[in-house]
Amino acid sequence: MRDFSYVRAATIDEALSAAAMPATMLLAGGTTLIDLAKCGVAEPERVVDISHLKGLDVVRIDGEGATIGALARMSRVAEDPAIKGEFPAISEALWQAASAQIRNMATIGGNVLQRTRCAYFRDPATFPNCNKRNPGSGCAALTGVNRSHAVLGGSNACIATYPGDLAVALTAFDALVHLGDRQVPVDDFFLLPGATPDKEHAMRPGEIITAISIPASPAARRSTFLKVRDRQSYEFAAASAAVGIELGGDGQTITDIRIALGGIATKPWRARAVEDALRGTAFEHDAIKEASRLAVEGAIDHGANHYKIELAPRVVERAILKIGAAA
């Protein structure tokens, strides 16, 4: 870890000005920054502490939806009774995302901005070639050990998987990322790697996340987050699904359905083809199983990650049936 200067921002405006300076990183909970600095990926010249800024940790829930400040702690949001009642998939995603220690420190904004767990990205000493870390150097994962890598949204430049859980649930329910004066749909906030995998977010220089807002909906109220992983705790998803369903008055017709996938793509992946296939149809197991296969439409494997193409539709199917059983 190299030497850096430390700045404690007194106001949001001061933080914005500091964030616009080259080689600058923000410090909130610190769980991601310290992790990246220890493995030699993050080497900021300047660290701007925003952890104490007032007004950025507020959590508000009303009839319109939820607004969650960027500095709100993961554990606090996961435990909030209104979040559990109106957005259960959000609470479940946060509970399954990390250890209790990390949830108590990590912030919502930092969680959304976490970077890939790709071993080639996180070990610059052993693997200097990584387009996400060193643009133009190549992607070792394409022909290397890639069991955990993406089968959707990849390119010839990068197949690194987005690792987070919360952002998957946010994507399913059309959340907005507040960047000061503007708001960006979370599905547009995360960028596909294309030829520029080092550009991961639709943030402009000098912008910071101030809040996340989630519109209220019957589908969000009847939702769940299902995560399948190699071990039961403290592990990233092999495949995950955030699903919400609204049933009609007969209790049998799917009037609305929201689905997003994690663990299988280079960004949180909205499964719109599955939604379109099931919206307006009867809640029937065979139809759900058939439609769930559309979740991996266009998937490309690179050998060891082929299993995700089989696994992801089953996770979607299970999550949908879980909600139906509860209903």
Side-chain angles (χ1 to χ4, degrees):
M1 184 182 297
R2 72 177 183 182
D3 291 341
F4 57 86
S5 61
Y6 171 85
V7 178
R8 184 175 170 89
T11 65
I12 294 177
D13 287 341
E14 186 176 317
L16 291 171
S17 297
M21 301 177 70
T24 297
M25 295 189 71
L26 300 178
L27 172 65
T31 56
T32 291
L33 174 56
I34 292 173
D35 196 20
L36 292 174
K38 286 168 64 178
C39 65
V41 173
E43 295 184 322
E45 295 177 3
R46 185 179 301 99
V47 172
V48 181
D49 188 348
I50 63 170
S51 61
H52 58 287
L53 293 180
K54 296 183 183 298
L56 294 186
D57 62 348
V58 176
V59 179
R60 294 193 303 271
I61 298 95
D62 55 29
E64 298 298 315
T67 299
I68 303 170
L71 294 182
R73 305 290 177 175
M74 290 173 61
S75 57
R76 176 191 169 193
V77 178
E79 294 167 0
D80 190 286
I83 292 291
K84 287 182 176 181
E86 298 299 315
F87 304 95
I90 300 296
S91 176
E92 292 170 15
L94 287 167
W95 273 118
Q96 297 178 64
S99 68
Q101 294 91 335
I102 290 177
R103 291 197 303 269
N104 286 336
M105 283 296 298
T107 63
I108 293 299
N111 180 271
V112 168
L113 290 173
Q114 67 182 292
R115 306 196 70 184
T116 183
R117 310 304 295 193
C118 172
Y120 299 103
F121 169 76
R122 288 181 172 259
D123 190 355
T126 307
F127 305 109
N129 295 342
C130 171
N131 288 322
K132 189 179 285 292
R133 189 185 65 244
N134 184 15
S137 63
C139 176
L142 287 168
T143 56
V145 178
N146 52 38
R147 183 179 183 276
S148 65
H149 285 69
V151 296
L152 289 169
S155 70
N156 290 331
C158 183
I159 56 170
T161 307
Y162 176 77
D165 296 322
L166 171 63
V168 176
L170 295 175
T171 298
F173 303 110
D174 300 316
L176 294 173
V177 180
H178 295 241
L179 300 168
D181 294 333
R182 70 186 184 109
Q183 301 173 9
V184 179
V186 70
D187 199 20
D188 297 330
F189 178 75
F190 294 98
L191 305 178
L192 291 171
T196 56
D198 55 309
K199 299 178 180 178
E200 299 177 345
H201 313 110
M203 293 179 70
R204 299 167 183 165
E207 287 186 327
I208 65 174
I209 297 177
T210 55
I212 306 286
S213 61
I214 318 166
S217 68
R221 192 174 303 115
R222 179 176 284 166
S223 65
T224 193
F225 182 82
L226 181 62
K227 181 176 181 178
V228 174
R229 42 195 165 173
D230 287 340
R231 60 176 187 263
Q232 186 59 30
S233 63
Y234 310 158
E235 180 61 286
F236 295 90
S240 64
V243 176
I245 297 176
E246 178 185 1
L247 295 176
D250 60 1
Q252 295 295 322
T253 302
I254 301 172
T255 58
D256 190 21
I257 183 167
R258 317 284 184 87
I259 304 170
L261 300 171
I264 68 165
T266 55
K267 57 176 277 186
W269 197 261
R270 186 73 179 263
R272 298 190 186 276
V274 184
E275 295 175 355
D276 293 342
L278 290 176
R279 193 174 288 115
T281 67
F283 194 101
E284 295 179 349
H285 188 180
D286 288 345
I288 290 168
K289 182 176 182 178
E290 184 67 24
S292 295
R293 294 172 182 167
L294 299 174
V296 290
E297 208 170 34
I300 299 174
D301 74 272
H302 295 81
N305 61 351
H306 177 79
Y307 75 98
K308 294 192 176 193
I309 298 177
E310 301 294 328
L311 177 62
R314 297 175 186 176
V315 174
V316 172
E317 177 189 348
R318 281 177 53 192
I320 296 173
L321 294 176
K322 177 183 174 183
I323 297 174

